[in-house]
Amino acid sequence: MTKQFSGIIPPVITCFDEEGRIDEEAQREVVRFQAKHVNGFYPCGTYGSGPLMTIEERKRVAEIVVEEKGSCDVIVHVGAINTGQSVELAEHAQSIGADAVGAIPPYYYKYTSEQLLDHYRAIIRAVDLPVFLYNNPGLSGNPISAEMLATLADEGLAGVKDSAFDLVSFYMYLIKVRKPDFIFIIGTEAIAAAALDAGANGVISGLANVFPEFMASFYRTWQEGNPRKTGEHQLKVVKARSILKYGPTLTMTYAVLKMRGMNPGHPRAPYQDIPASLYERAEGELRNMGLL
Amino acid sequence: MTKQFSGIIPPVITCFDEEGRIDEEAQREVVRFQAKHVNGFYPCGTYGSGPLMTIEERKRVAEIVVEEKGSCDVIVHVGAINTGQSVELAEHAQSIGADAVGAIPPYYYKYTSEQLLDHYRAIIRAVDLPVFLYNNPGLSGNPISAEMLATLADEGLAGVKDSAFDLVSFYMYLIKVRKPDFIFIIGTEAIAAAALDAGANGVISGLANVFPEFMASFYRTWQEGNPRKTGEHQLKVVKARSILKYGPTLTMTYAVLKMRGMNPGHPRAPYQDIPASLYERAEGELRNMGLL
Amino acid sequence: MTKQFSGIIPPVITCFDEEGRIDEEAQREVVRFQAKHVNGFYPCGTYGSGPLMTIEERKRVAEIVVEEKGSCDVIVHVGAINTGQSVELAEHAQSIGADAVGAIPPYYYKYTSEQLLDHYRAIIRAVDLPVFLYNNPGLSGNPISAEMLATLADEGLAGVKDSAFDLVSFYMYLIKVRKPDFIFIIGTEAIAAAALDAGANGVISGLANVFPEFMASFYRTWQEGNPRKTGEHQLKVVKARSILKYGPTLTMTYAVLKMRGMNPGHPRAPYQDIPASLYERAEGELRNMGLL
Amino acid sequence: MTKQFSGIIPPVITCFDEEGRIDEEAQREVVRFQAKHVNGFYPCGTYGSGPLMTIEERKRVAEIVVEEKGSCDVIVHVGAINTGQSVELAEHAQSIGADAVGAIPPYYYKYTSEQLLDHYRAIIRAVDLPVFLYNNPGLSGNPISAEMLATLADEGLAGVKDSAFDLVSFYMYLIKVRKPDFIFIIGTEAIAAAALDAGANGVISGLANVFPEFMASFYRTWQEGNPRKTGEHQLKVVKARSILKYGPTLTMTYAVLKMRGMNPGHPRAPYQDIPASLYERAEGELRNMGLL
């Protein structure tokens, strides 16, 4: 596979120590572990605790991931609560050699379409890198319609990472965008097979943070082109991720990496390590699935 | 294809005359038109205006569809606002030779899991026919969890028609139900390819009311097993149905049948015929797609 | 108090026997019990199990309530899933001497504004009685905007019963309706004091089914015009109703009437009598509040 | 009125210049204008663009408001996306002589009850000032139940600012909190009269940013204790705020201050000044109401 921004792309977590500082050693270990199996990285996003970090911390993590990326693409998440911060992060990502940037709509407040369009125009103007829009209405509170996406594609947006968990709205993106080389990335492994069949380039998969080999093997199954085999594999993927949802998925991710013998540190407050009882229950079920 | 309850199954509309009475002539014509292309019928459901009809009217329409079904299966929708009516309709469906019955959870009021389970137990007890549960939380207000479905499957439920438009929750049904011969039907053409790949038996497709050939051809494409070709066809299906959503889809259905030269009568009040301007706009776009 | 449609108005429950048939004896007893304390009745509504009954059953219950009403007003709920049934019920209510009719928007399906307006126009045209619109978006799925209400008021609608549980949207009704003698009824005791202060005429109160004296006393407190005393009483009302919400409120209502020594029969399936443990817990807490 | 944290408290906006920098001159002018009429300030909250500012900017605005507060109380909003930032802001607020701090739950991510409780425990531990919890589930995505509020009250929380726009859940706060001197502030003028009647101490009112005299006069009306007169005044307040909702309310606020002859600067991107047509329409309607 040589296409850019394709295959399996983990939204790599950020490793914090017990005091909540970035643990660079652990971070490099996690990136190197994933890099053996995956095709790209999406640091500083939702899984990457980007919104919980300062601008300076986000820059540092982006640098580490670029340094350790191996042959992978890196799409640095630069989405922030306001336009100025997103532009600053995008300029930094370009300066350190990232392959692209991605940005969730500004969150907390609700914005009009015109305000959202101008936000993305400012990011597109600021860098020469491909810019991805990261649609996640559940977290941003600002959904991006297919019409808005088509407008931004015409104005230079390179692609979309769609984490709405709504296959029909993803299909509408594919139908409405007119730009021929626009890049569609499905922002969850949960509906990945269907998205790939319809034209998605790749999968930004939270589960690939902990089971990169399993997700790489899912992607190879899809490439073989046997739909029923892909369907079966997809169900296994959904079953595995349903176990990761016993607690807040982000906190479960650190726990499962620990089950796998790594030392990913801890999530940042307000998140906390999961309770021991939950750890054991998830470990048992992942073992039953043959994933541990 | 010989498997029961597979392929394309239109939730056939009910034809009313200008006074709101069932138009038997028109009804037979619509059923015969669809029967040439499809594999089954689901009369008296949401598209079939079941909830807008009296018990006696619903029985009459079920009889007509059974009479005109040709070699198709008929799953009569017997879902109603209370348990007694659903049981009465199920017993009638059995008495006229229907192949199965389906039932949406009781609507309007919100019920506990135990109340919903008992509702379905009463229907299952009442007939020897296969009973399908029709999940449609947007209309019923009473979502059916994967755990509840698994319980009912163990107690004799034959299958599910899932119209939640949520691929992940459909996958969870497939993962959680333990009964080996349970029949999964995806209750919309919008995410049909993904559902079929994962193990769905068939598709209850509102769009098949107006374009049964087109949906039959989609299904044949899927049977050929080329996922990218299926994906392309799926996008065309979604594009077509997005045109049917310009107005309330049910009212658009009568209009598009008229565009196709049929005389399906009218929707029942509170529904109304669509305005002429909408008719023309939809006709133009369906023509552009080559569907008219 | 002599004003029509003012004061406390219970949406009186319907009493069913163990086989699910209307229990006329119990019904008369419940109506007579409430009539001693309240100012009106709203039979066959949501609490009245109207949607769970046949047209014939609804007519019978309306007759019983009119016969037993004493000096109370009776607003018969004629809301139904389609226009024809609502019109039939409204004509019947007029024929038996009801004081007014009320109607929830048609439920299950989603309708356009124009379709909803036409639905109400048909009911208004059908009878000479005052017609109330019963807004309950959580159950009907079809919210009525302040603009729609103002339009219908101009076309003859007599009033509204608002059960949206949203004080701001109730205020917007008061602000937008231009008709001088339009009657605003708040459709819950939970925000009754605020609604009355702003101009509501009366309160359709589910809690008055079981504690009509308590609700009558709340209303007298409000009439005395001491806002802090009213506020305190309002909090007691909300606390009492929060206990009624331990189970589905409708099923709790039968149980609490039983705690009070009455024999209200049973809710109709899919509803069921509440479990004994819940009965005891609610009884204990209502006793603690001094209501039993 | 001498009680602390009572009366009308504007969540004062932050004034930005055309380059998006804080405009200190304009900021002081706005605070002095409001201070003549109101009883307190809530800077750096939702109206205050707190989430759009850096930590340093938030500290600077808090300092300006404390300097210009006159005889008003100042509750500095220290809510932030993570625990560390909230603690840092709370310590700063204490160091500059603020009277209290308030904090929205951490936003963007969804948290468990335990994680949210620990977040507030950290803030309460960090300062000797009264700490308010600012409930706003629409923006934070993390609703605070009455049970959680009662727990935090027992552990030292001083009060709540409730902006859920749900009178019943506000009542449940009043019912469930056991701490005798807990301070309830209703976080919107839209349902203020009802909240005050039930025991709220004061009103954090966005509308007081632009019409502080009008809101002060509403509060005096409430103090007079005539519920029908208060009800009428409440409806005027709701009507005025409905005009402020023609655009995003925050951007409308700058425009209306300009209509009143002030120079409040501009909202920060992604927000933008409202279009001229909207400005004129709102100006006309506010003039019709006699507010300009």
Side-chain angles (χ1 to χ4, degrees), chain C residues 253-275:
Chain C
T253 300
Y254 293 83
V256 178
L257 279 168
K258 219 165 147 191
M259 292 174 203
R260 298 208 57 182
M262 308 197 59
N263 187 2
H266 309 272
R268 174 171 278 191
Y271 280 124
Q272 307 165 342
D273 288 324
I274 62 169

Side-chain angles (χ1 to χ4, degrees), chain A:
Chain A
M1 180 189 8
T2 55
K3 240 187 348 170
Q4 248 201 327
F5 312 124
S6 69
I8 299 299
I9 303 170
V12 56
I13 61 159
T14 296
C15 302
F16 299 99
D17 66 20
E18 293 206 333
E19 277 72 42
R21 290 167 308 208
I22 292 165
D23 181 337
E24 294 207 4
E25 201 55 40
Q27 188 69 46
R28 286 180 199 278
E29 186 186 333
V30 166
V31 176
R32 279 187 222 129
F33 161 66
Q34 295 172 0
K36 282 181 281 183
H37 307 288
V38 302
N39 312 100
F41 287 102
Y42 191 86
C44 301
T46 301
Y47 272 88
S49 294
L52 296 180
M53 290 193 275
T54 65
I55 298 293
E56 291 315 310
E57 288 172 325
R58 292 177 67 163
K59 290 179 181 174
R60 186 70 200 118
V61 170
E63 287 161 8
I64 293 169
V65 175
V66 168
E67 284 166 25
E68 303 287 352
K69 70 173 183 170
S71 61
C72 291
D73 301 322
V74 178
I75 309 172
V76 176
H77 181 64
V78 301
I81 205 165
N82 70 24
T83 309
Q85 289 181 7
S86 284
V87 165
E88 179 179 346
L89 287 167
E91 288 170 344
H92 172 265
Q94 175 163 290
S95 77
I96 63 168
D99 299 285
V101 296
I104 199 168
Y107 36 88
Y108 190 84
Y109 293 103
K110 313 296 180 211
Y111 296 103
T112 64
S113 298
E114 203 47 50
Q115 290 163 352
L116 293 171
L117 291 172
D118 277 1
H119 176 81
Y120 282 101
R121 285 166 183 147
I123 302 172
I124 293 168
R125 236 187 351 256
V127 289
D128 295 323
L129 295 181
V131 175
F132 286 83
L133 185 153
Y134 165 22
N135 183 52
N136 191 328
L139 295 182
S140 73
N142 287 295
I144 302 295
S145 69
E147 287 70 22
M148 285 173 66
L149 191 70
T151 300
L152 286 170
D154 291 344
E155 299 188 17
L157 190 74
V160 70
K161 172 203 171 185
D162 183 24
S163 302
F165 287 81
D166 179 340
L167 186 57
V168 186
S169 70
F170 184 72
Y171 285 154
M172 290 309 293
Y173 280 178
L174 284 157
I175 289 167
K176 292 280 185 186
V177 169
R178 296 160 290 259
K179 190 184 186 177
D181 56 348
F182 195 77
I183 300 167
F184 298 89
I185 297 178
I186 185 72
T188 170
E189 65 282 337
I191 57 174
L196 290 164
D197 284 349
N201 224 52
V203 186
I204 294 185
S205 159
L207 196 61
N209 260 302
V210 293
F211 300 122
E213 320 88 321
F214 176 60
M215 286 310 303
S217 124
F218 164 78
Y219 191 72
R220 281 192 304 273
T221 299
W222 174 76
Q223 285 178 311
E224 287 166 18
N226 178 328
R228 288 309 300 261
K229 231 178 115 189
T230 303
E232 269 174 50
H233 215 131
Q234 175 71 72
L235 288 183
K236 266 186 217 152
V237 165
V238 171
K239 188 173 175 189
R241 75 187 296 280
S242 76
I243 298 171
L244 269 282
K245 292 182 74 174
Y246 289 171
T249 316
L250 185 52
T251 59
M252 294 293 291
T253 301
Y254 293 82
V256 178
L257 279 169
K258 219 166 148 191
M259 292 174 201
R260 299 209 55 183
M262 308 198 58
N263 186 2
H266 310 272
R268 175 172 275 189
Y271 279 124
Q272 307 165 342
D273 288 324
I274 62 168
S277 60
L278 185 50
Y279 188 101
E280 278 163 42
R281 184 177 157 225
E283 194 175 26
E285 300 210 20
L286 291 169
R287 208 179 295 283
N288 283 346
M289 276 196 71
L291 285 168
L292 291 181

Side-chain angles (χ1 to χ4, degrees), chain A residues 108, chain D residues 42 46 77 102-105 120 132-136 139 161 163:
Chain A
Y108 190 84
Chain D
Y42 191 85
T46 301
H77 181 63
I104 199 168
Y120 282 102
F132 285 84
L133 185 152
Y134 166 21
N135 183 51
N136 191 327
L139 294 183
K161 170 202 172 188
S163 302

Side-chain angles (χ1 to χ4, degrees), chain C residues 38-248:
Chain C
V38 303
N39 313 98
F41 287 102
Y42 192 85
C44 300
T46 301
Y47 271 88
S49 294
L52 296 180
M53 290 193 276
T54 65
I55 298 293
E56 291 316 310
E57 288 172 326
R58 291 176 67 163
K59 291 178 181 174
R60 186 71 199 116
V61 170
E63 288 161 7
I64 294 169
V65 175
V66 167
E67 285 166 25
E68 304 288 350
K69 69 172 184 172
S71 62
C72 292
D73 302 321
V74 178
I75 309 172
V76 175
H77 182 64
V78 301
I81 204 164
N82 69 25
T83 308
Q85 289 181 5
S86 285
V87 165
E88 178 180 346
L89 288 166
E91 289 169 345
H92 172 264
Q94 175 164 291
S95 77
I96 63 169
D99 300 282
V101 296
I104 199 168
Y107 35 89
Y108 190 84
Y109 293 102
K110 314 297 179 209
Y111 296 103
T112 63
S113 298
E114 203 47 50
Q115 290 162 352
L116 293 170
L117 290 172
D118 277 1
H119 176 83
Y120 283 102
R121 284 166 183 146
I123 301 172
I124 293 168
R125 235 188 353 255
V127 289
D128 294 323
L129 295 181
V131 175
F132 286 83
L133 184 153
Y134 166 21
N135 183 52
N136 191 328
L139 294 183
S140 73
N142 287 296
I144 302 296
S145 69
E147 287 70 22
M148 285 172 67
L149 191 70
T151 299
L152 286 170
D154 291 343
E155 299 188 18
L157 191 74
V160 70
K161 171 202 173 189
D162 183 24
S163 303
F165 288 81
D166 179 341
L167 186 57
V168 186
S169 71
F170 183 72
Y171 285 154
M172 290 308 296
Y173 281 177
L174 284 156
I175 290 168
K176 292 279 185 187
V177 169
R178 294 160 291 258
K179 189 185 187 177
D181 56 349
F182 195 76
I183 300 167
F184 297 90
I185 298 179
I186 186 70
T188 170
E189 66 282 336
I191 56 175
L196 290 165
D197 285 348
N201 223 52
V203 186
I204 294 185
S205 159
L207 196 61
N209 261 300
V210 292
F211 299 122
E213 320 89 319
F214 177 59
M215 286 310 303
S217 124
F218 164 78
Y219 191 72
R220 282 193 302 273
T221 300
W222 174 78
Q223 285 179 312
E224 289 166 17
N226 179 328
R228 288 309 300 263
K229 230 179 118 190
T230 303
E232 268 174 51
H233 215 131
Q234 176 70 73
L235 288 183
K236 265 186 218 152
V237 166
V238 171
K239 189 173 175 186
R241 75 190 296 281
S242 76
I243 298 171
L244 268 283
K245 292 181 73 172
Y246 289 171

Side-chain angles (χ1 to χ4, degrees), chain D:
Chain D
M1 178 190 8
T2 54
K3 241 187 344 170
Q4 247 201 327
F5 312 124
S6 70
I8 300 298
I9 302 169
V12 56
I13 61 158
T14 297
C15 301
F16 299 99
D17 66 19
E18 292 206 333
E19 277 72 43
R21 291 167 308 206
I22 292 165
D23 183 336
E24 294 208 3
E25 201 55 39
Q27 187 69 46
R28 287 181 198 276
E29 186 187 335
V30 166
V31 175
R32 279 186 223 130
F33 161 67
Q34 295 172 359
K36 281 181 282 184
H37 307 288
V38 301
N39 312 98
F41 287 102
Y42 191 85
C44 301
T46 301
Y47 271 88
S49 293
L52 296 180
M53 291 194 275
T54 64
I55 297 293
E56 292 315 309
E57 288 172 327
R58 292 177 68 163
K59 290 179 180 173
R60 185 72 200 117
V61 170
E63 287 161 8
I64 293 170
V65 175
V66 168
E67 285 166 24
E68 303 288 350
K69 70 172 184 172
S71 61
C72 291
D73 301 321
V74 178
I75 309 172
V76 176
H77 181 63
V78 301
I81 204 165
N82 69 26
T83 308
Q85 289 181 7
S86 285
V87 166
E88 178 180 345
L89 287 166
E91 289 170 344
H92 173 264
Q94 175 163 292
S95 76
I96 64 169
D99 299 284
V101 297
I104 199 168
Y107 35 90
Y108 191 83
Y109 293 102
K110 314 296 180 210
Y111 296 103
T112 63
S113 298
E114 203 47 51
Q115 290 162 352
L116 293 170
L117 291 172
D118 278 2
H119 176 82
Y120 282 102
R121 284 166 183 148
I123 301 172
I124 292 168
R125 235 185 358 251
V127 288
D128 294 324
L129 295 181
V131 175
F132 285 84
L133 185 152
Y134 166 21
N135 183 51
N136 191 327
L139 294 183
S140 74
N142 287 295
I144 301 296
S145 69
E147 286 71 22
M148 285 172 67
L149 191 70
T151 299
L152 286 169
D154 290 344
E155 300 189 17
L157 191 73
V160 71
K161 170 202 172 188
D162 183 23
S163 302
F165 287 81
D166 179 340
L167 186 57
V168 186
S169 70
F170 184 73
Y171 285 154
M172 290 309 294
Y173 281 177
L174 284 156
I175 290 167
K176 291 279 184 186
V177 169
R178 296 161 290 258
K179 189 185 185 177
D181 57 349
F182 195 76
I183 300 167
F184 297 89
I185 298 178
I186 185 71
T188 170
E189 66 282 337
I191 57 175
L196 290 165
D197 284 349
N201 224 51
V203 186
I204 294 185
S205 159
L207 197 61
N209 260 301
V210 293
F211 299 122
E213 320 87 320
F214 177 59
M215 286 309 304
S217 123
F218 163 79
Y219 191 72
R220 282 192 303 272
T221 300
W222 174 77
Q223 285 178 310
E224 289 166 17
N226 179 327
R228 287 309 300 262
K229 229 179 118 190
T230 303
E232 269 174 50
H233 215 131
Q234 176 70 73
L235 287 183
K236 265 187 217 153
V237 166
V238 170
K239 189 173 175 188
R241 74 188 297 281
S242 76
I243 298 171
L244 268 282
K245 291 181 75 173
Y246 289 171
T249 316
L250 184 53
T251 59
M252 294 293 292
T253 300
Y254 294 83
V256 178
L257 279 168
K258 219 165 145 191
M259 291 174 202
R260 298 208 57 182
M262 308 198 60
N263 187 3
H266 309 272
R268 175 171 276 190
Y271 279 125
Q272 305 166 343
D273 288 324
I274 63 168
S277 60
L278 185 50
Y279 187 102
E280 278 163 40
R281 184 177 157 224
E283 195 175 25
E285 301 208 19
L286 290 169
R287 207 178 296 280
N288 283 346
M289 276 195 71
L291 286 167
L292 291 181

